[in-house]
Amino acid sequence: GRGLGKGPSITDRPAEAGKVALNIWVDRSGKVTRVTQNLDKSTTTSQTLFNIAKKAALQCTFTAKADAAAEQVGLMVFVFQLQ
C-alpha cells in the first residue's frame, strides 16, 4: 500500500540469469530496513544475484506513512537477463 519513492539502481552485469524474490521490511519513514531472499518465489539460488538484488533493494525508499506499523513487510522481485 505504499508508493515507490526512489527505485533501485543496478549497474552490475552478472554472467547469469534468474529471478530473485526478496522479502523486504519498510519502516514508517519509507526506508528499507532489512531484506531476506524468498526462495519459494525465486528461480535461482545464486548468491551473486541475491547480493546484487539486496544491494538494490536497500537503496529503495517508499512513501512515508506516519500511522503505519513500525515495520511493514513486502515483496520485491528482480529479474536478471543475459544481454
Side-chain angles (χ1 to χ4, degrees):
R2 301 238 199 138
L4 185 63
K6 177 185 161 205
S9 174
I10 299 175
T11 56
D12 300 73
R13 299 288 176 229
E16 52 192 318
K19 178 174 82 171
V20 177
L22 302 175
N23 298 315
I24 61 165
W25 283 259
V26 179
D27 66 14
R28 288 183 180 121
S29 69
K31 180 181 177 192
V32 177
T33 57
R34 60 187 165 122
V35 175
T36 61
Q37 188 169 8
N38 184 322
L39 293 173
D40 291 339
K41 297 190 185 286
S42 297
T43 62
T44 180
T45 58
S46 166
Q47 194 64 39
T48 300
L49 295 181
F50 169 70
N51 288 337
I52 293 169
K54 179 180 178 180
K55 180 181 170 186
L58 289 169
Q59 294 172 355
C60 294
T61 60
F62 292 85
T63 316
K65 190 171 181 183
D67 62 343
E71 278 189 318
Q72 289 183 301
V73 180
L75 180 73
M76 288 185 88
V77 178
F78 295 86
V79 179
F80 295 93
Q81 299 176 335
L82 295 177
Q83 294 184 355

